[in-house]
Amino acid sequence: MDDALQPSETDIHGDNHFTQVAQKCWLNRNNKKAQPNVVKNELWDSLEKEDFPPESINLLENLQCLEQYLWPTFNDDSSNYHVLLIVLLLNVKRWQGLPTWSLFDDRPNEFSLLFRQILSLLLDTSLSLRIRTHVLICTIGAFQSLEHGLIRKECAPLVSISIWINLHSEVVRNKILEENVQFNKAWRSSTKRFKHADEAAKIRMRYERSWLYSLLVDFLEMTCKTGQSDEHARVYCERFMEFLCDIESQFPTRRYVNTLLKDMNILLVLRQSRICVGKAGSLMRDFTALLQHYIRFPLDDHSGRLRSAKEEADLHSAHISELQRIALKHFKERLNLLALSNQGALQQRQELLSHLEGLDDSEVEHLAQYLGIRTSYASVPSLICDRKFILELIITSYEKQSTYQQELKSLRVLPNESLLYDPTLQRDQVYDGEHPLAIPKLNLQYLATADFLWRSFVLYRNEAFYEIRTHLEETVTRLFPKRDASGVSQRPVGSRMAMRVSKPGIIGVTAPRVGEDVPAEVRAEIVLDVSRLPDHVRREWEELRADDTVFLVASKRPQQKPQTNGTTVSSSLEHAPFSAVRSAEVIQVLDENGVVLRHTEQQVNGWTRRPRRRRLIVKLDAIAYAEDLSNQQKGQGYIYESLDVVIRRGARENNFKSMLESIRWLAISDVPLPSWFLDVFLGLGDPTSANYKNLSSALKTLDFRDTFINWDHLREALPDKDIKVDGDGEEISKPPYVLETTSNLESPKQPRHKRVKSEQVVQESAASSHPATDKRELVDQKPLKTSKKRRREELEQEEAPETINVSTYKPRNMGPYPSDSAKPNEVRFTPRQVEAIISGTQPGLTVIVGPPGTGKTDVAVQIINNIYHNFPNERMLLVAHSNQALNQLFAKIARLDIDERHLLRLGQGERDLQLESSYGKQGRVENFLAHGSRLLADVNRLALSIRAPGAHGNSCETAEYFNSVYVRPIWKRYLETVAEAESATEIVQGFPFHDFFSNTPQPLFSLGMSKEQAMEVVTGCYRHIEKMFVELQDIQPFEVLRRDREKSNYLLVKEARIVAMTTTHAAMRRKEIADLGFRYDNVIMEEAAQITEVENFIPLAMQKASNESTEHGLKRVVLCGDHLQNSPIISNYAYRHFANLEQSMFLRLVRLGVPHILLDKQGRARESIAELYKWRYPQMGSLPHVLDQTEFQHANAGLRYDYQFVDVPDYKGKGESQPSSHFIQNLGEAEYIVALYQYMRLLGYPARKISILTMYAGQRALIRDVLGHRCKNNRLFGLPRTVSTVDKYQGEQNDYILLSLVRTARTGYLRDIRRLTVALSRARLGLYIFGRRSVFESCPELRPAFELLFQREDNLQLVTGEMFPTERQADDEAEPSEMDSVEHLGQYVFQMTQAKVKALREEGGQLPRIEQQVYAGGDEEEEDEAIEADGGVDGDDDEDSGFIPLDAGTDTGET
């Protein structure tokens, strides 16, 4: 929502009309009945008089008019004005992304009454179209919230099979029913229920089955009458088209509605209506195209199955055959030629029209009637059904239509200026909520995986083009001089992302491929002058990789750009700072001599030679090139002469082409998902069906190894289980533990209720949280009656605790060396964590909701460990959104008892892994070969120890020969010898490998060893030898393969069992990896709630179906995340809000009611800090160490409280400011935070333990600027570990967080409680929030957190006389010193600084040296504005090796 539309602090607490009404009627009193004069006169009339201004409606919503007045007082006597006010407030809540329908859970009967009144108002033509539009928007919101039980119950009858009563012909309806038995049963059930209903029920049923049809008739009449000037009617029709598209895009609502829309020929009526004519009708035309896509989508409306291209062709052929039969039967003389024509010819419009033109008007009408096509619209008098109209109906019904696959192939993935400034994209980019958008939405359900991928492709492409356009405009604008307020031209700012170049030279054009008419490849050379570039910028250009996309631009001086929806955009190409854009893909970077760049610095006499030029070899967009040549031939000029700027983008943003191509390929090829997961992914069927308890593949027995630390931990972690011990029944003191489930898993749980009649609606609980379990119906069905005995047995079975038999085994001795020993788990998992580990180890879908600090990464690591050891033939794919999160997960895995040769980390982020070994493809290959060399040396040593002649360690092949000829026979003979041994001495003396194991850390055998112990030792030694030869067998292919690429591919496809990559890498390399034959059985996804849904999907489709079966090989999907924290970041407001592109699969599955496991014990923060966000996770508690460890028990030195909200008034008469769009700053808060940071550093707090967070990028830049001025080069302060936005810091933590809220007029997007949850949960020991109290205490959504914060003083409370760390306990009271303002704190810090420097000088002390400090959480694009972080120290008291003498000089950094 536009920030200006939100009520300000002055509005909420001021003297305006609505605030006075709120104070009088509901804020200070409880109402049981609404006063009609207040509803009509004070509220409705005031809004209507001003034409329902959004600002006033927003103000009423902030004043909680709905929660405290309108809904509590609603009853069956409430007026239409009462209902309409509720509608307005529901719309504004939905617009702001606030919880909407949960408000009505407490009064389901009253909600049913309210919803019926809303539906009736939508049909009331006496209301103005503007008001009906508001009601329609509310109805759209309801149909998009079908996961809510109350909504589903009310919407289901409106789209049930009973609406088929409105089909134009009973013959047509009977034909459909005869073709499908299930539809026939549903129809008979519906008519029977109507026949036996009482009069009141019949009235309700008539209303339900006619409601949608009445709306459609009214809509069609409006489209035929509406002209260019009727704006309200046009907006209503656009919203109605949005409503129809929403219904058609979800299978449960589409199932019967699709037939009705086809029967009404709605597509043709729309195309020929007045409302779609002219420039004003462009949105309606786009909506018609979108609706056509959904109506014609090749989905079987009975089964919900996607029809293949062959099935579609056969179906269309059958329709044409029917046309020919009817023509031969009824119009033999006139249409004899049509009846005998080739079907392929009849699919062509002109051919079919030539056959039908010989019919007169009555014959045309009769032919349509025989074909089952509606030819009359008595209820739509403005629609003219003449000969032309009916002929068009027949032709469009039988001509060949393009498929969605063909539409996808035609969409280009590389933009030019016409695509970037396409009017449709323009409309999306200036979205303000007044008009809807003709774009697909991501909502609760999808028609098929291909439908989901088609929507994702369209939206992702639009979002990518929006980001590219914004980047190009901003970058080119920086290349031109600006004029200041006085009109004086200033020096251009410049950009490291762009370079001036001469025109690109075309160096090669390859002939088109067979069947194509554009060149296969167009190569060009771009000469870059890098002589004046700083070294780091030059290296960025030199490090462009193959397939990176760059943009060639014909620049021009930019014009003044308007601001729309808070974003500065160029309204058209003529206002843009360029006239043309061409995309190109990098092939290679050459030096000035034309040699491929090797990234080595050339030195002459010890000096590094500065290069002058680089040559960029690129592939131009071949389609655009062909169009340019055609335009040149038409005399429009040669566009490549004018291209004078080359622009690049950041690596992460530049993957759009690979991403789009991956999505398109998946959509066209229709890669299958595993059958057990498909329905759940689409939002159809039983949401619990993918849980392991409902799968036939569930495992009865599993080895959980060291998941449980000891027996007490096992019993504690399984509190509701009946635990029994196999064998003698004695407790098993230590792991490993093998768990066998003897109940519930013996047969998968079947649905308790079978479906009997497809239209039976039952009353369901208002608390129902998941959609109906039958994918063919929107509503729950009536269960079968069962006997009392059966119901009693089922109840007893549910109440009986699950029985688990626990057994153990002795782990095998793997050898005498430390590397042979297992690395046990040391984490004492909580019961919820154990539940998640059990579910993740079992087959199926596991969704783990991990609130802040609850250890979801540790859970994921243990799941991986269990799968690795339980299923040695299975492979895992680990995925995360960010390199940082993936590296954290991977680093923990590398420390487990997992062979490092089975680990592989793909992508550029591998370089940031803080591990001894390299886990990238090249590093793994090198490690394999190096490890092979060590093993071969051991083979030589083994051969020497058993006196075997020959060079056995020359290669893996010779080593295998040595093993088979020497080692195995020796071991076999030894086993035969000791089989009859009577003592340990005989076993020890006969052991043939004494010399080989002479270098063990401890002696192999000890005195007094029993026979069994000795046998175990020698067996372990042989296992060590055996493992050595097994590893050499794995290494042998790397000796045979010669090319590095072949070795890397072999490593990926055959050797690695745990492969980690980011979602970006998965999208970029999906096809390449799949084509190699890469296969995997399990997917573990970290940060799943921060990943867009299509990025969630691609890792599930990284492999092709096996040749033996079309079934997907995926066995487990584990999603870890937290949907109550930030969602994926989408730049464009329209795609984020309207199209819901920010939706993750994780969130959608939770909405659908898929079983999820909520981790409930946090171990990050003090309990007092955790209370600030615990209201979001009511079941969350704290782990014992949060109470027991010293750091949590001690207070924060120099600060009275462990957390505090500090009220920051206007600084120098100014609060928040906005130098540019969305670049919001607050100097007072920036100065206050920096002053507190300086204070903490003076007390001895380590800089690495302090992070500064803010809600806006503008404030981050300001804080960095202030730090650069106050602290950067000051050895007493240095820089903090991080200065970042909250969004960028999700997933991170630090001991002390200083948080700036920035806003002083209104809450802005801080009203999104997900963002606040992230902000409050980053601190471990101390959280200090700086903001404007009056703004946030008036926000109802944030009240639970801020009520706790406001219980303490809002002036900063210090404690003098303490140094870090303090011995003061957190609960101890201390004498506070109150800071009245930022100036007060600044003066105090200045005095402390002077005293500190003076004391150091007098005592001959030393100051910490300046060390390089790197800001975390920043973006690559933000480096231009970030300060160079070359200062800062850790400041640990026990680290004094980095100090330099005081007399070296210092800057006191006066405040």
Side-chain angles (χ1 to χ4, degrees), residues 701-705 736-740 804-809:
T701 303
L702 270 174
D703 180 3
F704 285 93
R705 305 182 77 251
Y737 295 105
V738 179
L739 272 57
E740 178 186 9
I804 294 180
N805 291 330
V806 182
S807 59
T808 190
Y809 58 90

Side-chain angles (χ1 to χ4, degrees), residues 1003-1018:
L1004 288 180
F1005 307 100
S1006 59
L1007 296 175
M1009 181 179 286
S1010 66
K1011 173 185 172 182
E1012 290 75 14
Q1013 290 173 330
M1015 199 64 204
E1016 181 183 351
V1017 170
V1018 298

Side-chain angles (χ1 to χ4, degrees), residues 323-358:
L323 169 64
Q324 291 177 311
R325 286 194 298 270
I326 291 174
L328 190 61
K329 179 178 180 181
H330 298 284
F331 306 93
K332 185 173 182 180
E333 295 182 359
R334 299 266 191 163
L335 298 179
N336 187 53
L337 187 58
L338 182 149
L340 300 176
S341 294
N342 180 279
Q343 287 193 353
L346 293 179
Q347 294 180 16
Q348 307 302 317
R349 164 177 283 270
Q350 293 302 322
E351 180 72 17
L352 183 57
L353 181 60
S354 66
H355 288 292
L356 299 179
E357 282 178 340

Side-chain angles (χ1 to χ4, degrees), residues 7-62:
S8 66
E9 174 196 354
T10 306
D11 295 330
I12 296 174
H13 298 102
D15 296 330
N16 64 75
H17 169 72
F18 292 112
T19 302
Q20 292 177 357
V21 174
Q23 293 289 347
K24 179 177 67 175
C25 296
W26 66 81
L27 291 182
N28 298 318
R29 56 185 294 185
N30 293 324
N31 294 280
K32 294 184 179 180
K33 186 175 181 180
Q35 301 175 25
N37 64 314
V38 172
V39 172
K40 173 65 170 64
N41 302 331
E42 301 287 349
L43 298 178
W44 178 261
D45 288 349
S46 299
L47 290 172
E48 189 176 35
K49 182 170 61 177
E50 300 177 7
D51 199 21
F52 306 102
E55 299 88 345
S56 299
I57 302 174
N58 270 299
L59 177 58
L60 283 174
E61 193 280 323
N62 271 266

Side-chain angles (χ1 to χ4, degrees), residues 1289-1451:
Y1289 204 64
Q1290 181 167 339
E1292 298 297 305
Q1293 66 182 36
N1294 209 347
D1295 287 357
Y1296 306 98
I1297 297 293
L1298 311 182
L1299 174 64
S1300 172
L1301 300 181
V1302 185
R1303 305 309 299 265
T1304 59
R1306 47 183 59 85
T1307 56
Y1309 69 32
L1310 300 187
R1311 198 174 180 188
D1312 185 346
I1313 55 180
R1314 297 174 301 179
R1315 185 167 279 105
L1316 181 69
T1317 303
V1318 176
L1320 297 178
S1321 58
R1322 300 305 97 197
R1324 296 182 66 249
L1325 303 176
L1327 174 63
Y1328 302 95
I1329 304 173
F1330 296 79
R1332 184 65 58 88
R1333 174 170 182 159
S1334 57
V1335 170
F1336 295 98
E1337 68 182 350
S1338 60
C1339 183
E1341 287 75 26
L1342 309 181
R1343 189 168 295 154
F1346 281 96
E1347 280 182 346
L1348 286 174
L1349 289 167
F1350 294 153
Q1351 288 177 5
R1352 295 178 174 178
E1353 297 90 336
D1354 57 16
N1355 284 340
L1356 183 63
Q1357 304 288 304
L1358 305 183
V1359 176
T1360 58
E1362 287 186 339
M1363 294 295 290
F1364 177 89
T1366 181
E1367 294 300 320
R1368 175 166 57 94
Q1369 297 295 300
D1371 297 333
D1372 292 348
E1373 284 294 329
E1375 185 67 28
S1377 295
E1378 186 173 288
M1379 297 291 107
D1380 297 329
S1381 63
V1382 60
E1383 293 87 354
H1384 188 182
L1385 179 60
Q1387 182 62 30
Y1388 185 66
V1389 169
F1390 173 69
Q1391 294 172 357
M1392 287 183 64
T1393 305
Q1394 297 293 334
K1396 180 90 170 181
V1397 172
K1398 181 179 178 181
L1400 286 170
R1401 283 176 174 164
E1402 290 176 351
E1403 298 172 6
Q1406 296 172 320
L1407 289 175
R1409 70 183 180 190
I1410 298 178
E1411 298 179 353
Q1412 186 173 6
Q1413 188 91 7
V1414 179
Y1415 284 123
D1419 282 337
E1420 191 176 347
E1421 294 82 353
E1422 294 153 1
E1423 291 180 10
D1424 289 336
E1425 67 184 19
I1427 61 174
E1428 288 293 326
D1430 58 358
V1433 294
D1434 287 348
D1436 289 316
D1437 292 341
D1438 58 347
E1439 295 181 1
D1440 55 4
S1441 60
F1443 283 9
I1444 59 176
L1446 179 63
D1447 58 7
T1450 182
D1451 173 15

